[in-house]
Amino acid sequence: MFSALNRDFRANIIVFRIGDGVFVGINLYQKVWNDHVVRQLDTGQYQVFMALHLIHEVTSPQAFGMLKDKDLRVAFPKRTFATVDHIIPTDNQERPLADDMAEKMIQVLSSATQEYGIEFFAPKSGAQGIVHVVGPELGLTQPGMTICCGDSHTSTHGAFGCISLGIGTSQVRDVLASQTLVMDPLKVRRINVEGTLAVGVTAKDVTLHIIRTLGVNGGVGFAYEYAGSVIDRMSMEERMTVCNMSIEGGARCGYVNPDETTFDYLKDRQKVPVGADYLAAVDRWRSYASDFDADYDDIVDISANDIKPTVTWGVTPGQALSIEECVPDPDGVEGLEKSLINDALNYMQLTANQPIKGTKIDVAFIGSCTNGRLSDFKSVAAVIGGKKVSSNVRAIVVPGSEKVDREARELGLHEVFEAAGFEWRLPGCSMCLAMNPDKLVGDEVCASSSNRNFIGRQGSPTGRTILMSPIMVAAAAVEGYVADAREVFNLEGGEV
Amino acid sequence: MSGMTIDKLSGRAVYVEGNDIDTDRIIPARYLTCVTFDELGPALFYDVRFDEQGNSKGHVLDSPEYSTAEILISDNNFGCGSSREHAPQAIMRFGLKAVIAGSFAEIFHGNCTTLGIPCVVMNDSNRSELSDLIMHDPTLDIMIDIVKLHLICANKVFPITMKDSVREAFLNATYDPLDTLLASQNEVKEVAGKLGYL
Ligand code: SF4
């Protein structure tokens, strides 16, 4: 078979080689890597060009300080884009912000981007939002790119067929100064999800199920390639939800091969070429998809039949179970695993073997870069009509970006949520990590559509988080306890 | 060359038990509201060490016996979760200069490497023997030898592992890669040009 390697712009250094005169198919990770490698370093690692660099106010301002210390400039300012998301309040975004330090962080970012000529999606620009929502919706994220951002959920962008990596602040400095990173190539594990998801089972359940199955460090050393009929049928927003949580499974990144769904999504987006240039881009994008006979370091098959609405019970995203199951019993488990279960049960104030269904909640949060996109809000609005949030629950909805907010309002979704007793907030990360005023208080329990249930994650050192899909959060909000959305909303037939 | 060669490290150690210790635990998100890393040392593991009134909960890091420890020992999947460099920065500014664990989350590992903090991998049985020694006698010194890839404590020699490329970088003093990356800007431009990114 022919190989995309023949194309003349494809790499100076082919790290993943073709076999002795025989063309062997290669996967997307290898193609993107080969295109972007600059050179091999003495340590054996590689210097790799970054096609797109996204920055935000929490992990990036320090990097500009590091540049200044060394008297360096930004090498490719047009390949970096900035937004604010983590610290921005969701009730009142009038400047100056009430929190002085938060205001200062935005100002440092704003003036640095001005100084270096970096485009900044400021609050109220119409384009501000969570960095992983903004990149795709503006069409900055495109197939075949290497993408990095000082944020672990950069894996989200892999939905478009990219190598997308979370990096630390010193690496943000490296990318600003050189547009490159030092990298070791990853192994690639293909995860085939085959079959048809049952009604009420969403992309979030797929990703929680994968993490639960492979473990929170099952992905260490790997890029995950998500494939199979379930993934093929998913919308781009659903694919983003799946790729988003690759990092929770220990993988450095995750991706889906680009296809017509990808190209349709990108068409007419602000930063995407138009006309003949779009068509040429599609040809190029398509060439990055893994060859049908590509080689993988590992292949895992997951059956859609095994996936139920899934929620976490403990303090890592891998401590998850289906809504029909009971929390584990440490008895009969040995060693460190036993103490992990014990500690998690104690922290969550759960008793071994109790059903997770029925666990009382205090707060419901729908938002974040996992589930803060238009389709997430649509899926809930489609079922919540006529229901009311329990009087014991504080329920907030936080759109992932100003664009999502605008589009949701145009559809009247905010009114549907407000009528049900949710508060509709301004865009940001909000209670996903609670760096803004949206926090749990004391040991409150939050049913959350975000991606991390670590101890203290939602702003209170004793706060408790139960991760689930947006419709499951809505079901919990209505009942006041963890519930099965399929029962609460009488879901049957058709897909949600 | 952007730092000093790191080939050997020694000091006392402290064992913080637990698998899957995430970066939210290492440094809670509210301490991320900062524009420099300078003040992060005291906030290391804050919510595990102090109650809501700021009183010590008697965490091992606050026990006087371990107050001079310079090496952190923990368990598997250390540093998982958020990519925040605030985590290794807090570890470094607290006064710790190496971490020993069964395994590390990758972004955390990379962040530590750039800062010159070796992440040393040791298998479960050796690590539990080592932490027993330390818990028994906090005054014991640990010597980590990156050239020979072993660690000595109480006259016992334990094998350790480290990614080859990272070990090379410590031995060549290229663990902070910035100068290396800047040395090839022409080649970088060439790649960018071919890909249409200019
Ligand atoms: S929504 Fe949460 S996970 Fe996503 S970027 Fe913001 S803080 Fe990180």
Side-chain angles (χ1 to χ4, degrees):
Chain A
M1 65 158 287
F2 80 97
S3 167
L5 284 171
N6 294 330
R7 291 177 16 206
D8 61 352
F9 70 86
R10 201 140 266 168
N12 8 14
I13 302 174
I14 305 298
V15 181
F16 299 97
R17 287 176 194 285
I18 46 182
D20 297 327
V22 187
F23 286 116
V24 181
I26 59 173
N27 60 47
L28 177 139
Y29 182 88
Q30 296 165 331
K31 293 184 192 181
V32 177
W33 173 280
N34 285 341
D35 267 9
H36 290 79
V37 164
V38 175
R39 61 175 177 145
Q40 187 167 21
L41 306 173
D42 296 342
T43 55
Q45 294 167 293
Y46 294 87
Q47 179 173 9
V48 183
F49 185 81
M50 291 294 121
L52 176 66
H53 182 211
L54 301 165
I55 60 176
H56 62 75
E57 77 285 9
V58 175
T59 55
S60 311
Q62 307 86 345
F64 287 104
M66 296 174 181
L67 277 195
K68 281 240 157 68
D69 288 347
K70 297 199 171 235
D71 209 11
L72 290 167
R73 54 182 197 92
V74 176
F76 289 79
K78 299 287 173 249
R79 306 285 345 137
T80 294
F81 298 85
T83 186
V84 281
D85 46 13
H86 287 65
I87 50 143
I88 192 109
T90 58
D91 49 357
N92 176 2
Q93 297 182 349
E94 290 307 319
R95 309 281 300 275
L97 300 177
D99 177 345
D100 291 344
M101 201 59 208
E103 176 64 29
K104 183 160 178 208
M105 290 168 81
I106 296 191
Q107 277 175 14
V108 171
L109 185 66
S110 166
S111 57
T113 50
Q114 232 167 12
E115 180 177 347
Y116 294 103
I118 292 167
E119 190 170 357
F120 175 41
F121 308 120
K124 303 203 173 159
S125 63
Q128 175 267 341
I130 304 173
V131 63
H132 312 308
V133 176
V134 166
E137 74 185 7
L138 291 177
L140 287 167
T141 303
Q142 296 173 11
M145 283 182 161
T146 44
I147 301 182
C148 62
C149 171
D151 193 287
S152 52
H153 291 99
T154 307
S155 59
T156 313
H157 305 260
F160 291 80
C162 307
I163 299 181
S164 52
L165 305 161
I167 56 176
T169 299
S170 296
Q171 289 178 303
V172 172
R173 173 206 63 181
D174 294 346
V175 178
L176 288 172
S178 73
Q179 202 61 28
T180 60
L181 280 177
V182 174
M183 285 170 65
D184 287 303
L186 295 165
K187 292 181 286 186
V188 181
R189 171 179 294 144
R190 180 171 164 114
I191 301 178
N192 289 313
V193 190
E194 294 288 355
T196 305
L197 295 178
V199 177
V201 178
T202 69
K204 180 64 156 286
D205 303 303
V206 172
T207 195
L208 284 172
H209 181 84
I210 291 173
I211 298 164
R212 173 191 182 190
T213 308
L214 301 178
V216 283
N217 53 12
V220 172
F222 283 96
Y224 279 173
E225 175 177 306
Y226 300 101
S229 56
V230 169
I231 305 291
D232 289 345
R233 280 195 304 271
M234 281 185 178
S235 69
M236 288 315 294
E237 300 202 346
E238 291 171 313
R239 292 177 187 179
M240 284 188 249
T241 300
V242 173
C243 290
N244 175 274
M245 290 191 70
S246 305
I247 191 81
E248 269 65 51
R252 188 70 199 279
C253 63
Y255 67 84
V256 176
N257 284 305
D259 60 8
E260 299 310 318
T261 307
T262 320
F263 313 141
D264 288 349
Y265 175 97
L266 286 171
K267 193 163 191 286
D268 299 327
R269 303 233 163 218
Q270 198 184 323
K271 304 282 184 183
V272 172
V274 292
D277 290 343
Y278 168 77
L279 295 176
V282 168
D283 277 348
R284 194 160 56 80
W285 293 339
R286 200 189 305 277
S287 76
Y288 282 103
S290 295
D291 296 333
F292 73 89
D293 56 348
D295 226 4
Y296 297 93
D297 300 283
D298 191 28
I299 297 180
V300 172
D301 292 309
I302 302 239
S303 165
N305 289 337
D306 297 335
I307 311 177
K308 305 253 162 59
T310 303
V311 302
T312 58
W313 62 269
V315 294
T316 73
Q319 289 174 325
L321 36 64
S322 92
I323 187 66
E324 296 162 9
E325 288 174 74
C326 297
V327 304
D329 187 340
D331 268 3
V333 183
E334 287 311 316
L336 213 46
E337 185 59 27
K338 186 188 184 91
S339 65
L340 282 177
I341 295 178
N342 263 323
D343 291 352
L345 287 175
N346 282 340
Y347 183 81
M348 294 301 290
Q349 301 175 31
L350 293 167
T351 315
N353 298 316
Q354 82 174 74
I356 191 69
K357 199 159 107 178
T359 307
K360 197 179 147 303
I361 67 151
D362 307 288
V363 177
F365 169 63
I366 304 180
S368 86
C369 59
T370 320
N371 284 123
R373 297 184 178 79
L374 192 63
S375 58
D376 297 309
F377 303 121
K378 275 186 175 168
S379 74
V380 177
V383 296
I384 198 86
K387 301 274 184 197
K388 280 273 179 216
V389 169
S390 156
S391 57
N392 304 318
V393 173
R394 201 159 83 239
I396 65 170
V397 180
V398 184
S401 70
E402 292 180 350
K403 183 172 174 1
V404 172
D405 182 44
R406 210 162 46 237
E407 291 173 351
R409 284 173 185 279
E410 278 163 19
L411 295 173
L413 301 186
H414 65 305
E415 284 161 0
V416 177
F417 277 97
E418 283 168 357
F422 284 86
E423 258 187 80
W424 185 273
R425 297 288 190 86
L426 298 166
C429 295
S430 178
M431 206 174 259
C432 175
L433 97 165
M435 276 191 74
N436 73 349
D438 307 335
K439 295 183 200 303
L440 295 185
V441 180
D443 64 357
E444 280 181 333
V445 178
C446 180
S448 181
S449 74
S450 56
N451 47 41
R452 288 193 172 137
N453 53 338
F454 297 148
I455 291 173
R457 171 74 177 184
Q458 292 189 292
S460 163
T462 50
R464 293 171 285 167
T465 303
I466 302 182
L467 302 176
M468 56 187 83
S469 74
I471 54 165
M472 288 288 284
V473 174
V478 166
E479 298 295 343
Y481 52 81
V482 176
D484 190 334
R486 297 169 301 185
E487 294 163 6
V488 177
F489 301 123
N490 289 318
L491 304 177
E492 50 192 50
E495 288 203 15
V496 172
Chain B
M1 294 280 176
S2 34
M4 286 178 359
T5 297
I6 299 178
D7 51 4
K8 276 192 185 128
L9 271 169
S10 52
R12 292 183 180 180
V14 55
Y15 175 50
V16 175
E17 190 194 345
N19 281 349
D20 305 322
I21 291 185
D22 58 79
T23 53
D24 275 81
R25 212 165 327 161
I26 297 171
I27 182 100
R30 60 183 183 283
Y31 294 104
L32 271 48
T33 318
C34 60
V35 288
T36 72
F37 295 125
D38 301 346
E39 312 295 329
L40 293 178
L44 180 70
F45 283 113
Y46 191 90
D47 290 339
V48 192
R49 290 166 53 209
F50 301 100
D51 66 17
E52 282 171 60
Q53 283 72 48
N55 302 314
S56 170
K57 294 198 232 174
H59 189 267
V60 63
L61 284 174
D62 296 309
S63 116
E65 294 169 301
Y66 294 101
S67 63
T68 56
E70 294 177 290
I71 296 166
L72 180 68
I73 307 173
S74 191
D75 296 306
N76 288 306
N77 199 25
F78 189 79
C80 60
S82 150
S83 64
R84 59 189 70 162
E85 188 169 307
H86 305 67
Q89 289 276 358
I91 287 173
M92 182 172 82
R93 287 160 204 274
F94 187 83
L96 297 163
K97 55 189 187 192
V99 187
I100 299 170
S103 62
F104 293 90
E106 292 183 82
I107 302 180
F108 175 85
H109 185 282
N111 286 339
C112 282
T113 304
T114 308
L115 296 177
I117 305 170
C119 288
V120 174
V121 175
M122 212 173 162
N123 71 26
D124 288 355
S125 63
N126 285 330
R127 217 172 58 253
S128 89
E129 194 178 338
L130 179 70
S131 48
D132 282 349
L133 285 170
I134 298 299
M135 288 190 287
H136 223 237
D137 182 359
T139 68
L140 286 176
D141 264 334
I142 285 183
M143 203 277 288
I144 300 170
D145 189 328
I146 294 176
V147 179
K148 296 192 179 136
L149 283 180
H150 67 212
L151 172 162
I152 303 176
C153 179
N155 293 322
K156 279 187 181 255
V157 182
F158 299 92
I160 58 173
T161 58
M162 191 178 267
K163 238 185 187 168
D164 285 344
S165 56
V166 171
R167 176 168 170 265
E168 282 295 311
F170 282 127
L171 299 179
N172 299 336
T174 53
Y175 48 89
D176 180 342
L178 185 55
D179 293 345
T180 311
L181 295 178
L182 289 172
S184 56
Q185 281 300 288
N186 287 335
E187 289 154 273
V188 171
K189 281 212 183 84
E190 206 179 304
V191 172
K194 275 187 200 160
L195 291 167
Y197 292 138
L198 277 180

